[in-house]
Each structure stands twice: as structure tokens, then as C-alpha cells.
Amino acid sequence: MTQVLKAKLGSLLTTVYPDLECDGLADQLLKTMGLEPDQPPPQAHQNNWDEADVVLITYADSVKQADQKPLATLHQFLRDCLEDSVSTVHILPFFPFSSDDGFSVMDYLAVNESHGTWEHVEAIAADFKLMADLVINHMSARSRWFENFRKRVDPGKDYFFEGNPRDDLSAVVRPRTSPLLNPVQTEDGERHVWCTFSEDQVDLNFANPQVLIEFAGIIRQYLEHGVIVFRLDAVAFLWKEPGTSCIHLQQTHELIKILRLLIEHHSPSAVVITETNVPNRENLTYFGNANEAHVIYNFSLPPLLINTLVTGNCRHLKTWLMSMPPAQIGTTYLNFIASHDGIGMRPTDGLLSEEEKQRLINTMDSFGGKVSYRRTADGRDQPYEINIALYDALKGTAESGVDHWQFQRFICAHTVMLALEGIPAFYIHSLLATENDLERVENTGRLRSINRSQWQLDKLEQTLADPLAHHSKAFHELKRLIAIRRKQPAFHPNATQFTLHLGLQLFGFWRQSMRRDQSIFCIHNISNEIQQVALSDINLIGTDEWVDLISGMTIDDQSGSITLKPYQSVWLSNRE
């Protein structure tokens, strides 16, 4: 057989490293991954997901219990409470770390002893698809690699990106306000290392191909421990060239193609997800030509959906949805409305006006939220994200403040997310309707801690068993909606989607199964007032019988109308 894989790999490597002899580099990467040069390719345009796929996002220690490793406690909670609801578990970085709640990794190949062991990780991977972070842009300043960088020895000597304070770095796109270059003392004297995120998170130097080889080895280890979904953290910043924006550079895209090529030849059912918290048009480029990310985060959804629900106006959400291209078969979106980070504001660029952004910020501030900033090229500090728990983000409206519709608004947000094209992902604290943790913010000094609470398992079990607790009500209603969603072919992540035009207080879209045998009209009252929907406006097929999958209501008169209470949703389907 011809060496097809090696030829593809060599071509990509030559684009990234035009001055290197890439034939030998390709051999090294294939050997590191345990691949043959003629390894057969996976099936092209294959969907490694379906309508039953639902993701849970959690820290290893989001649920804790005395005298038990958190990963074991998490596994117990997953089996007892979520085995019938989620297919994939994204455990946020569970490695030894020095800061940023795990995203400043000290050792990529070890499990944080306080969380558990690789055996605990593998046990979860045996019951669920396991998603893990490949924290690929930067590493802890307290890691062995960085200690070796200081000592000028390998491995590590040339693994970190260095900058020159005299270079023009004014065009560099920053997600933070901290200094970009930090001086460090080494055996060779003072050097300035590049720190996109913080002084403790030093950017890796992929211009050194040995770093790429190291990550191929890391990826293989993860695969062998049961990881099947790879989240490429902060990957947009991977390649740096002074004088440029240092974001989305072509070499970054080529490196993602290389990583995908290696991963999917090793494990054809594996999935690569890029985490790129950037404006929508930029985000879409990470699909490539169905040869980069299998899945991209729908980063514009959280701020737009929250803005819709607190203003009672879906104009911007509808405009955005109409502009979203259907994902090619073999690619899809990851839909989420809350995560361990805040509500990103950059993904609203070009979608909300500056006045609308400020109104959203002011509203979230009045609900107990905080704002994190980034520094622009001209030295101004711009809002980067809003830090707030989703349950509290929806406690009222921009116009009237806190009201009594918080629970309904919260469920409506998730009902929208569950029905959209793509795979739905629930952050654990949204699934549990956890509120702002202001005490944790005070204890850590970090704004993101507002949405990084930790539950004691016995307390959580008591709360979920209490029918009067809003946590219990939300958890069980969301599980009910998930169970409905998982049975509908029209909710396949790649099923057809069209936006409906029902005014500004009704947000609607139509989904049709890939076999065209099921249609679902998803209609959501995103206002705090009763709304009427004329069924003639949505063109139900007259020969079919229609039922609302959520309430069980049947449509007897297709010339009539339905009434939606504030924040009520319907999923009108022609099959149950």
C-alpha cells in the first residue's frame, strides 16, 4: 500500500515548517502515536454523534464526599443520577496545576493526587464518553519543563515562546490585561517569555517541532486512558509572530489539522473540539473544510440567549441563527449557555451594539454578576466576560429587575439549547441551578469562582430529594426535557434547521430529521407576557397529527392558535 497517511502528514508539516526536513518529522510523529505510514483512514464525513448525545461539563471536584477521592464521588453521582441523561462527561483539567483551577498544568501525564488516579478516570471512561482538555497553548511556570527552560536543559530548553520587548507587539490580540511578556532569570541570563493569559501560564513554542512530538505522545496517553473527545484549550493563540495579531494564524489551523489527522487515524470514533472564544465569523473558520475541528463551541449562543430572555426581544438571536451555516456532515456545533468560565462578550462583536452590550452588563451586575476585562491593542480595557451563575443571570429583566419568573426563564433557556442544531452541553451548576457563590469569590480573589461552587454529595442528594427546592425542580425538569430530546430523530445534531418568523417575543425554528420523517416546530415565548401563536403561521402539514412533546397537548384544529404562557416552550412534532 502507498503511504497515504505519511504523505498527508508530510504535506501539512511542510506548510508549518517550510525550512525543516519534514519526512523524518512525519516518521517521528507516526512512531510516537503508534501509527503505520499506510494506516487506513477513518470514514470521511462520519457523524460520531446522534440525538442521544448530551454533554455534562464538570470539574473533578464539583461534587465531594468525605474520605473519598472526588473522581470517585463524581463517578458515583454520574451513575446514580445522570446515567440515563448524559452520554459524554467533560472533566475539566484533572492534572497537577499551579493556578487557574487546573488550566496551568504542571504535568500533562499525571492525575492530580487530590482528585484521584488514572484508574478513577478510566472507570468514568468505561461508562461514558470521556472528554478531556488538551491545554495546548501554555504550561505552568512551576512545571518541570519550565524549570528546565530556566536551567537551559532538555526537555524544556526551547519549549517556551520568547519575545523581545523592543518588538512591535501592538497588534497582538489579548484576552487579559496582564503583561504579555514576563522577564525570567535563566542560566543564560534574563529572557522574556510570552504569557497570553497570566504570568504563571507560559506559552509553548510550537515553532520547535519537538513540542509537537511531545503533544503527540500526550495525546496517545490520553487515548489509552479512555479519552475519546479532545478539547483544544485556547488553541486560537497557538502560533505567534511578532508584528501580527498572533491569533488564528495559518500555522495554527495547520497544526489542528495535523492533530486531527493523528487522532482520528489512531481512534476513528474520536472527536476534536476547538475552544475559541472569539467573534462568530472567526469561530466558524475552525471547521476548516471538515478537516480541522469536528465540533466547535457555539460561543455566541450564551450572551445572545441571555440577552434575549432579559430583554424579551429575540431580534438579535434570530438574526444570528439565520446567519449560521448548516454544519457539514461530520462536523457540528456544541451548544452551551453556561460553563466554568463567564459569559463571553467578544462573541457578541458585530451582533450587539455597544449600548446593548452595556445594558446586558448592567443587568447582570444588578443580579450579582462581575465583569472581567481584556486589553485591546490601543491599551483600552474592554469587557471580556461576565462572571455569573446562569440561574442568577435569569432572575429578572433588564427593564424591571428581579421578578417571579426566574425558574421559567431558566427552563426556557435550556429548552432552546436542547432543540438547536448541534450537541447540547450542560455545565453541572446549571443542571443543578446553583446560584452565585460570592463567598468563594471572596476566598479565592478570582471573579470566575462565582460559578465554580462545590457541592457535598450528601447535601446535594438531600436537596435533589426535596420537591420544594428550586435545585430539585430544575434538575428533574431538565432531565425530563433531556429524555424527550434523546428520542427525537429531528434533534439529531445535523438535522435540518430553519428559523421561523413569529415576531420579536416568540423565538422559533423548525427541525427536520435526516430521513425527513419527523418535523418539530420549536416555539419559545421569550417574554414575560402571554403570547398567541397562529398555527397557520407555521404551516403544519395538514395530513399529519401534531403533538407538543413537552406538555402532551395535541393539535385538533390546525386553523386555530395556541397560547403560550410567559417563557413557555412547545415542541410540536408530527410523531411521538
Side-chain angles (χ1 to χ4, degrees):
M1 291 180 66
T2 57
Q3 298 184 337
V4 177
L5 172 57
K6 182 178 176 182
K8 284 184 178 178
L9 185 57
S11 175
L12 293 170
L13 289 168
T14 300
T15 305
V16 180
Y17 306 109
D19 299 326
L20 295 182
E21 192 281 301
C22 290
D23 192 64
L25 178 55
D27 285 332
Q28 283 182 278
L29 286 167
L30 294 174
K31 181 180 179 182
T32 302
M33 286 292 294
L35 300 173
E36 296 298 327
D38 57 358
Q39 191 98 1
Q43 181 181 334
H45 299 286
Q46 175 176 295
N47 288 331
N48 291 327
W49 46 76
D50 61 24
E51 59 272 18
D53 277 294
V54 177
V55 179
L56 176 75
I57 306 165
T58 179
Y59 280 102
D61 58 355
S62 291
V63 183
K64 303 178 75 172
Q65 183 168 245
D67 304 320
Q68 187 177 51
K69 292 293 187 182
L71 281 166
T73 307
L74 174 64
H75 194 191
Q76 180 182 334
F77 173 68
L78 291 169
R79 283 185 302 191
D80 291 348
C81 299
L82 290 172
E83 199 165 33
D84 59 346
S85 300
V86 303
S87 60
T88 303
V89 179
H90 173 200
I91 308 177
L92 291 154
F94 47 81
F95 318 105
F97 69 97
S98 55
S99 64
D100 198 18
D101 286 345
F103 285 92
S104 186
V105 178
M106 296 172 66
D107 184 350
Y108 289 106
L109 298 179
V111 174
N112 188 333
E113 288 183 7
S114 65
H115 294 335
T117 66
W118 277 118
E119 286 72 24
H120 290 118
V121 172
E122 290 166 4
I124 294 173
D127 290 338
F128 301 88
K129 297 177 187 177
L130 178 60
M131 178 172 165
D133 289 272
L134 194 64
V135 186
I136 194 169
N137 179 71
H138 48 261
M139 194 177 188
S140 169
R142 291 172 52 193
S143 63
R144 183 172 67 91
W145 282 1
F146 196 67
E147 285 302 310
N148 287 349
F149 173 85
R150 289 177 181 272
K151 294 174 183 174
R152 313 307 296 143
V153 297
D154 286 321
K157 177 185 175 185
D158 297 310
Y159 281 15
F160 296 90
F161 195 83
E162 297 180 47
N164 188 328
R166 293 188 296 274
D167 286 340
D168 179 8
L169 304 177
S170 60
V172 175
V173 171
R174 296 298 317 286
R176 298 288 185 273
T177 57
S178 55
L180 177 61
L181 299 183
N182 280 289
V184 295
Q185 292 300 321
T186 74
E187 294 294 328
D188 290 346
E190 186 177 75
R191 292 171 177 265
H192 288 82
V193 293
W194 193 284
C195 300
T196 298
F197 289 89
S198 78
E199 188 174 352
D200 186 49
Q201 294 165 297
V202 188
D203 286 37
L204 291 153
N205 178 23
F206 276 85
N208 176 0
Q210 188 59 40
V211 175
L212 178 60
I213 294 169
E214 292 275 13
F215 271 90
I218 292 164
I219 287 167
R220 183 178 178 184
Q221 289 280 330
Y222 289 4
L223 286 163
E224 291 174 355
H225 285 301
V227 175
I228 200 68
V229 185
F230 290 82
R231 176 185 183 270
L232 305 189
D233 176 62
V235 72
F237 302 97
L238 204 59
W239 194 272
K240 291 89 175 164
E241 287 183 4
T244 73
S245 64
C246 298
I247 188 171
H248 314 313
L249 299 189
Q250 187 58 40
Q251 292 91 335
T252 291
H253 287 281
E254 300 302 316
L255 284 164
I256 295 170
K257 292 175 191 174
I258 289 167
L259 295 175
R260 170 170 170 167
L261 194 68
L262 294 171
I263 289 169
E264 67 181 4
H265 276 77
H266 184 285
S267 299
S269 60
V271 172
V272 173
I273 301 182
T274 50
E275 187 265 334
T276 48
N277 187 2
V278 294
N280 196 53
R281 287 181 180 272
E282 298 171 29
N283 192 32
L284 289 168
T285 65
Y286 284 87
F287 277 142
N289 186 21
N291 60 352
E292 290 188 44
H294 294 92
V295 182
I296 63 172
Y297 281 79
N298 238 340
F299 271 108
S300 295
L301 178 61
L304 288 180
L305 182 51
I306 291 167
N307 183 70
T308 292
L309 288 164
V310 299
T311 61
N313 185 320
C314 69
R315 179 166 67 94
H316 296 307
L317 184 63
K318 188 165 71 171
T319 300
W320 166 75
L321 193 66
M322 288 189 293
S323 74
M324 291 295 284
Q328 289 189 51
I329 300 299
T331 66
T332 194
Y333 299 101
L334 190 75
N335 294 322
F336 72 109
I337 41 179
S339 75
H340 62 290
D341 290 338
I343 302 162
M345 293 304 292
R346 284 207 73 211
T348 65
D349 288 355
L351 301 172
L352 296 180
S353 69
E354 292 305 313
E355 292 75 17
E356 288 166 330
K357 290 180 190 178
Q358 192 57 53
R359 188 184 192 198
L360 178 60
I361 289 169
N362 292 344
T363 303
M364 295 301 101
D365 177 71
S366 71
F367 297 161
K370 311 291 182 182
V371 181
S372 298
Y373 291 84
R374 70 182 183 93
R375 187 148 295 156
T376 61
D378 58 5
R380 292 181 299 118
D381 288 351
Q382 288 275 75
Y384 180 69
E385 66 181 19
I386 302 169
N387 304 111
I388 192 169
L390 182 64
Y391 191 69
D392 280 340
L394 297 170
K395 71 196 306 183
T397 65
E399 184 175 351
S400 304
V402 176
D403 61 21
H404 62 284
W405 295 109
Q406 180 178 16
F407 182 83
Q408 291 83 350
R409 204 177 281 116
F410 180 77
I411 296 300
C412 180
H414 287 98
T415 310
V416 170
M417 181 190 77
L418 278 166
L420 285 169
E421 175 188 349
I423 301 168
F426 288 83
Y427 182 44
I428 190 168
H429 290 301
S430 296
L431 205 55
L432 300 172
T434 311
E435 302 104 317
N436 290 335
D437 193 338
L438 297 174
E439 183 180 346
R440 194 171 179 86
V441 172
E442 193 168 325
N443 290 340
T444 66
R446 297 190 298 272
L447 299 184
R448 284 178 167 176
S449 297
I450 199 169
N451 198 22
R452 296 180 180 180
S453 295
Q454 293 177 320
W455 280 90
Q456 292 299 318
L457 182 61
D458 56 350
K459 173 68 173 175
L460 178 57
E461 288 173 339
Q462 282 180 351
T463 303
L464 294 182
D466 178 0
L468 299 179
H470 79 267
H471 304 285
S472 175
K473 291 178 182 177
F475 183 71
H476 292 292
E477 178 61 9
L478 291 175
K479 276 173 58 77
R480 187 180 79 88
L481 292 169
I482 289 169
I484 296 169
R485 179 226 153 75
R486 298 183 83 187
K487 296 176 183 176
Q488 314 308 322
F491 285 154
H492 186 288
N494 293 90
T496 299
Q497 175 174 283
F498 282 106
T499 309
L500 303 176
H501 297 279
L502 303 170
L504 297 179
Q505 282 70 53
L506 292 167
F507 177 60
F509 48 91
W510 170 66
R511 302 294 309 278
Q512 185 182 56
S513 62
M514 297 170 80
R515 292 177 55 183
R516 299 190 178 183
D517 58 345
Q518 184 187 27
S519 286
I520 303 179
F521 290 89
C522 308
I523 305 170
H524 315 269
N525 179 0
I526 51 82
S527 77
N528 56 8
E529 297 177 347
I530 292 172
Q531 300 292 328
Q532 295 287 331
V533 184
L535 293 174
S536 58
D537 289 344
I538 56 176
N539 298 317
L540 300 180
I541 300 167
T543 56
D544 289 350
E545 295 181 357
W546 294 86
V547 61
D548 172 24
L549 297 172
I550 296 175
S551 69
M553 172 191 69
T554 56
I555 302 296
D556 298 318
D557 179 9
Q558 293 187 23
S559 64
S561 63
I562 56 175
T563 301
L564 293 185
K565 292 180 285 190
Y567 305 108
Q568 183 182 351
S569 301
V570 293
W571 288 343
L572 299 179
S573 172
N574 59 347
R575 53 174 277 188
E576 291 190 66

